[in-house]
Amino acid sequence: MMSRKPKKPAIPNSDWETVDADTMPLFLRLENDCPLIGSYDGCPVALQDILEGARLKVERFIAICWIRKKVRILNLKPQTAYLAVSYMDCYISRKYNRNMFQQMELLAAACLSWAMIVTEPMEFSLALLSDPLCSSESFEVMQMSIFETMKHKTFPITPFSYIPYFITVLCMKEPLNLFVHVSDLILASLEAINLIDYRPSIVAAAALMAVNHPNFSPEQLECAILDLADWTPQQIGVIQRCYHFMIKRLPKPKLDASSLSDEKAGSSSGTS
């Protein structure tokens, strides 16, 4: 019988969790070796092509909703949700088969368990293992299959590693409040964005720009992006593409009662 408690993989110490001016170049280099990025060797099938199948696309959406629900219930970090979906997208892109949609719930649970092992205290992982879905031998087999698919690299770097540093570089006001809004936007985008198509630094830069500068012109956006790091022209293009995607995911502003009254009064005077 296999052991129920998975071993904690070797991961960088806590100093690696957040980028600063000295470690920024190192983090960007590490992204080149990330097994969760589509350009990594061994990713033969584009996730976007796979998700053209309506059934798998729906099942992936349901699985991500399950992950986000568990993250809320257990009060986990946003990094945990992001890593779980990254692991899931990585696995789908490398292990795709026509019957994969039947395993999505099990896959989501196993990916979340690995993400929790990387980012959370052990007691959270044990709480997840109390779920009936995680009590079978097939769950343990799925866990090990995921770890092997990722070449035994759990890669703890997420967009949330970059956001505090980017906010500091741009000298933005209310950094804590801004961090919350950017985090919410990234989590709201998980269902629609293919994470293996975008590096964590790209997602962080695009989400921060979308929250703080949703109406930037292309020229203004490029200048702001270059303030963050020495991006290549190709990376700038990817950030711009991700930025426009993030803009569409921003919550729509709510009109208060006074605004609605003013709008009605204006329309009435226009028709009289």
Side-chain angles (χ1 to χ4, degrees):
M1 183 69 180
M2 296 176 66
S3 172
R4 287 274 335 280
K5 184 190 291 188
K7 293 182 179 180
K8 189 172 179 111
I11 60 173
N13 60 37
S14 59
D15 292 339
W16 286 48
E17 292 179 359
T18 305
V19 176
D20 57 29
D22 295 328
T23 59
M24 178 71 175
L26 172 62
F27 272 63
L28 294 179
R29 287 198 302 272
L30 287 172
E31 288 187 353
N32 293 328
D33 297 324
C34 174
L36 309 181
I37 303 298
S39 60
Y40 184 84
D41 291 341
C43 182
V45 184
L47 183 62
Q48 186 61 47
D49 294 338
I50 293 173
L51 293 178
E52 290 301 321
R55 181 66 183 273
L56 183 58
K57 190 172 185 177
V58 170
E59 292 298 329
R60 177 182 178 270
F61 176 83
I62 294 173
I64 293 175
C65 290
W66 182 89
I67 289 173
R68 292 187 63 186
K69 179 181 178 180
K70 282 293 183 181
V71 167
R72 287 194 301 270
I73 292 174
L74 297 175
N75 195 27
L76 305 179
K77 302 172 185 176
Q79 293 94 316
T80 306
Y82 186 92
L83 275 182
V85 178
S86 296
Y87 296 162
M88 187 171 68
D89 284 352
C90 174
Y91 188 87
I92 293 173
S93 69
R94 290 168 172 78
K95 295 288 187 178
Y96 172 71
N97 62 73
R98 293 182 179 180
N99 297 319
M100 180 171 281
F101 67 86
Q102 299 174 349
Q103 299 178 295
M104 289 301 290
E105 190 175 19
L106 185 64
L107 175 61
C111 288
L112 180 58
S113 73
W114 271 123
M116 291 171 68
I117 290 170
V118 173
T119 62
E120 306 285 353
M122 182 56 71
E123 56 263 28
F124 287 105
S125 297
L126 295 176
L128 177 68
L129 290 176
S130 66
D131 191 298
L133 183 63
C134 307
S135 61
S136 64
E137 185 172 335
S138 58
F139 172 78
E140 297 169 357
V141 172
M142 179 65 80
Q143 275 189 317
M144 297 315 300
S145 180
I146 292 167
F147 196 39
E148 291 169 2
T149 300
M150 296 187 299
K151 310 295 185 183
H152 297 189
K153 295 180 180 180
T154 51
F155 196 73
I157 300 174
T158 70
F160 306 97
S161 305
Y162 294 92
I163 295 170
Y165 172 66
F166 286 167
I167 291 175
T168 302
V169 169
L170 298 178
C171 300
M172 294 178 172
K173 298 179 180 179
E174 300 182 8
L176 180 58
N177 189 44
L178 184 57
F179 181 88
V180 171
H181 287 302
V182 175
S183 298
D184 288 345
L185 177 58
I186 292 173
L187 294 180
S189 303
L190 290 179
E191 293 93 343
I193 194 172
N194 300 328
L195 296 187
I196 63 172
D197 290 341
Y198 298 102
R199 299 175 184 275
S201 57
I202 298 290
V203 174
L208 179 60
M209 293 299 164
V211 168
N212 210 53
H213 303 294
N215 300 311
F216 260 6
S217 68
E219 294 76 16
Q220 290 174 317
L221 179 60
E222 182 173 349
C223 289
I225 291 171
L226 288 172
D227 286 338
L228 296 177
D230 294 327
W231 310 100
T232 66
Q234 182 181 8
Q235 289 172 327
I236 292 174
V238 176
I239 295 173
Q240 290 172 329
R241 186 166 66 249
C242 190
Y243 165 85
H244 291 296
F245 171 84
M246 292 285 186
I247 292 293
K248 298 176 183 178
R249 308 297 297 183
L250 285 172
K252 295 181 180 178
K254 296 180 180 179
L255 295 175
D256 56 28
S258 59
S259 298
L260 291 174
S261 299
D262 293 341
E263 186 176 336
K264 289 181 179 179
S267 60
S268 299
S269 60
T271 55
S272 59

